[in-house]
Amino acid sequence: METKEKAMKFDGDKPRMDLVDKEIILELAKILTFGAEKYEAHNWKIGLPMSRYYSACMRHLLAWNSGETLDPESGLNHLSHASCNLMFMLYFTKNKPRLDDRHI
């Protein structure tokens, strides 16, 4: 008699990575690759005041909203650039909160 066993995995409280669209991850990787070639790999992790990333994000969003889909310098989507800047801001919020220079 053959019994089927089901493996156990206690990951019910972990984020569902299968829900993240792979194209979004690829778009972020393209932006980070462009940045690594322009500056240096992982240069962004050194950090700048978060207002710099916010400004860059807004410039990309405004360009996109004005009808320009691709960034002229990189040839990549403005929305991908904006998303990457948001990723940087999230990273620094968790890892380098001293870079938060909002003027509230």
Side-chain angles (χ1 to χ4, degrees):
M1 178 192 296
E2 193 175 315
T3 60
K4 292 185 179 182
E5 294 183 30
K6 185 176 182 181
M8 295 187 70
K9 179 97 171 96
F10 298 104
D11 61 359
D13 60 342
K14 294 181 181 173
R16 295 268 316 269
M17 299 306 293
D18 61 306
L19 298 175
V20 180
D21 184 77
K22 67 180 183 278
E23 294 300 322
I24 301 302
I25 295 171
L26 288 171
E27 285 299 309
L28 287 173
K30 289 176 190 176
I31 300 298
L32 291 167
T33 300
F34 175 79
E37 292 168 357
K38 183 175 178 179
Y39 303 105
E40 186 177 308
H42 302 283
N43 176 69
W44 68 270
K45 288 184 180 176
I46 296 168
L48 295 167
M50 284 178 50
S51 61
R52 300 281 301 274
Y53 299 107
Y54 174 79
S55 292
C57 179
M58 292 304 296
R59 285 192 298 273
H60 285 291
L61 288 174
L62 289 170
W64 177 86
N65 196 50
S66 297
E68 185 178 88
T69 301
L70 301 180
D71 175 69
E73 181 183 4
S74 69
L76 300 170
N77 196 300
H78 279 297
L79 294 177
S80 300
H81 278 282
S83 298
C84 197
N85 279 288
L86 289 172
M87 182 190 79
F88 294 163
M89 293 170 70
L90 281 168
Y91 176 86
F92 293 123
T93 296
K94 291 185 134 205
N95 296 290
K96 294 186 180 184
R98 71 183 187 286
L99 295 176
D100 185 346
D101 65 336
R102 285 179 285 180
H103 301 303
I104 302 172

